Amino acid sequence: MGKATSHDAACVSQILRGDVEAAEGLVERVRPLVTAIVRRRLPRRTEEADLVQMVFLRVFTKLDQYAGRVPLEHWVSRIAINTCLNEMRRERSRPELRRADLSAEQDEILDHLDEGQEKWQPHQQVAARELVEQILQRLPRRENLIIAMLYLEGLSLQEIHESTGWSVMAIKLLAFRARKRMQKTLKHLLQERFP
């Protein structure tokens, strides 16, 4: 196994100091490698682009742990493989939410999504909150936490950074990923009734 180059160490150092161009350069450099790994290990219910993004999220959240003992590509490939394996395990342990799993009130909410919330009755508002909670429960722990902090607690990105120690870039990626998962779940629920 080869050693890391001084270029690897300099690149990591620049990214950790907030150099966006260095981060973009790293993404472009290792994207073909990450994409190839993801394609070979893509879980059934996961989109390729989503999993690639998840790998990059993990790379950037763990970048301060890169010790430089191996080339950066080897380090990234381990993260990519582990991310794929973790996603496969997550899919097995968290089955998709189905419309049959919902209460009658939650099912009714799906039929009234196009109406404004202001038209909903109090029991419908409660059912909508419960539906959101069910969708949130199916998110990975970090994504659930970020969505709760951003939208339920109303914290800013900076406040979340100060609370978690995660970079603002990682927080944005986690929030984006969580919103995509939630949209996918909601789309699946809606299509179950209207194929």
Side-chain angles (χ1 to χ4, degrees):
M1 188 175 288
K3 286 211 172 247
T5 65
S6 59
H7 175 72
D8 289 345
C11 177
V12 169
S13 179
Q14 288 174 312
I15 295 169
L16 291 174
R17 286 195 309 266
D19 186 332
V20 175
E21 286 182 25
E24 290 170 354
L26 175 62
V27 169
E28 290 310 308
R29 176 177 153 193
V30 298
R31 181 182 298 279
L33 170 71
V34 169
T35 302
I37 291 169
V38 165
R39 282 185 182 152
R40 288 191 303 267
R41 295 169 180 83
L42 187 64
R44 184 176 56 85
R45 294 190 321 245
T46 305
E47 305 252 345
E48 178 182 314
D50 291 344
L51 194 51
V52 167
Q53 184 178 25
M54 190 184 308
V55 169
F56 282 113
L57 172 65
R58 295 230 168 94
V59 166
F60 285 111
T61 57
K62 295 177 179 281
L63 202 55
D64 61 337
Q65 297 173 16
Y66 176 68
R69 290 190 281 271
V70 297
L72 200 50
E73 283 83 356
H74 293 187
W75 185 79
V76 168
S77 69
R78 278 194 299 248
I79 290 176
I81 290 167
N82 286 331
T83 301
C84 291
L85 294 174
N86 289 340
E87 188 64 12
M88 285 182 216
R89 280 191 286 273
R90 190 193 71 75
E91 274 194 10
R92 283 193 301 268
S93 69
R94 288 191 174 142
E96 282 184 345
L97 182 62
R98 298 216 158 295
R99 213 149 166 168
D101 299 328
L102 305 179
S103 69
E105 293 83 12
Q106 292 168 345
D107 188 63
E108 178 186 350
I109 287 300
L110 292 174
D111 295 331
H112 296 283
L113 283 178
D114 55 348
E115 298 173 7
Q117 281 182 288
E118 60 278 351
K119 293 183 181 180
W120 289 353
Q121 300 296 319
H123 76 278
Q124 290 174 310
Q125 292 175 357
V126 169
R129 276 194 299 276
E130 290 170 351
L131 177 60
V132 169
E133 287 172 10
Q134 279 200 340
I135 293 172
L136 280 172
Q137 287 174 1
R138 284 172 168 70
L139 292 177
R141 187 179 49 82
R142 284 183 176 194
E143 292 175 17
N144 184 318
L145 176 65
I146 291 299
I147 291 298
M149 293 174 96
L150 273 174
Y151 298 107
L152 303 179
E153 298 172 29
L155 299 178
S156 69
L157 292 172
Q158 187 60 35
E159 290 169 324
I160 295 171
H161 163 70
E162 290 167 7
S163 295
T164 62
W166 300 334
S167 71
V168 171
M169 178 185 241
I171 294 165
K172 286 181 179 179
L173 285 170
L174 280 166
F176 176 80
R177 177 81 179 126
R179 287 190 301 267
K180 292 286 280 183
R181 280 188 203 266
M182 292 175 76
Q183 288 169 352
K184 186 175 179 180
T185 299
L186 189 57
K187 182 179 176 183
H188 172 75
L189 289 170
L190 290 169
Q191 287 175 340
E192 233 180 276
R193 169 76 50 94
F194 307 107

